[in-house]
Amino acid sequence: MGFGRRDAVVSREQKLVYAGIYVLKKMDLKPAEGGMEMPLVLPSELTPLEDVLQELVNAGLVEVNRRKARFEITKKGMAYLSEIIDEAEALIEEFDEEELEDAVAELRRRNVDVLRARFLWGWYDGELDDLVLFQQRRGATPVEQWWADYLMSDALYEALISDFERA
């Protein structure tokens, strides 16, 4: 790879979708399980999620609760989250025992987005729950300490793609 400009590994729209799925899980889980409330006025470390939350509101998956000064998942959002969980469970059930190369080849044969499959797998099984730990396990340097920045960066998606691009 040269020093010239290169295209992003995923589009901004894809990042908004993946980050939206990630944020919905965070909002759904109890704080003791790694979840969190999303306040209407985001602290500086969460500002990269402003567009993500706006997209979730626009899609009717999250609503603004002004009285509690936070975003909340709607019934439609819970149904969507349930569909995503079902999708992830089906992937894991079908491909858990497969060699990576075979699973990737089959997904490609079916025209399934391999990055989405890889993201959902890590999202569902907890591998992506702590994005700082995810980076540390992979030997990333430097490690991005603010998970929202990493979630919206190319680096996360490059790491996920590197898991299967050799397959």
Side-chain angles (χ1 to χ4, degrees), residues 47-123:
T47 56
L49 302 178
E50 287 175 345
D51 290 346
V52 174
L53 288 161
Q54 187 59 55
E55 288 296 315
L56 291 171
V57 168
N58 293 348
L61 304 175
V62 167
E63 64 189 1
V64 171
N65 183 326
R66 295 210 184 280
R67 189 176 54 79
K68 294 182 180 179
R70 68 180 184 209
F71 293 94
E72 294 182 344
I73 301 175
T74 63
K75 287 181 180 171
K76 181 179 177 183
M78 291 304 292
Y80 175 71
L81 196 53
S82 180
E83 290 171 18
I84 297 296
I85 290 168
D86 290 346
E87 182 181 351
E89 286 175 341
L91 279 167
I92 292 169
E93 184 177 316
E94 181 170 359
F95 294 108
D96 195 30
E97 301 297 320
E98 295 286 325
E99 292 294 325
L100 177 62
E101 296 79 19
D102 296 336
V104 169
E106 180 59 22
L107 290 168
R108 286 183 174 144
R109 189 186 69 70
R110 296 180 191 174
N111 287 325
V112 172
D113 182 341
V114 181
L115 176 57
R116 180 180 173 93
R118 175 63 184 96
F119 178 85
L120 291 180
W121 193 299
W123 171 84

Side-chain angles (χ1 to χ4, degrees), residues 4-75:
R5 186 182 181 286
R6 66 184 181 91
D7 293 331
V9 298
V10 298
S11 69
R12 177 164 169 69
E13 292 75 24
Q14 286 173 297
K15 285 180 188 176
L16 290 172
V17 169
Y18 295 138
I21 292 168
Y22 191 92
V23 167
L24 284 173
K25 180 179 180 180
K26 281 269 192 212
M27 291 175 67
D28 184 46
L29 292 174
K30 293 177 179 20
E33 298 168 346
M36 66 184 300
E37 290 182 356
M38 289 291 163
L40 293 183
V41 178
L42 295 174
S44 59
E45 67 270 14
L46 297 181
T47 56
L49 302 178
E50 287 175 345
D51 290 346
V52 174
L53 288 161
Q54 187 59 55
E55 288 296 315
L56 291 171
V57 168
N58 293 348
L61 304 175
V62 167
E63 64 189 1
V64 171
N65 183 326
R66 295 210 184 280
R67 189 176 54 79
K68 294 182 180 179
R70 68 180 184 209
F71 293 94
E72 294 182 344
I73 301 175
T74 63
K75 287 181 180 171

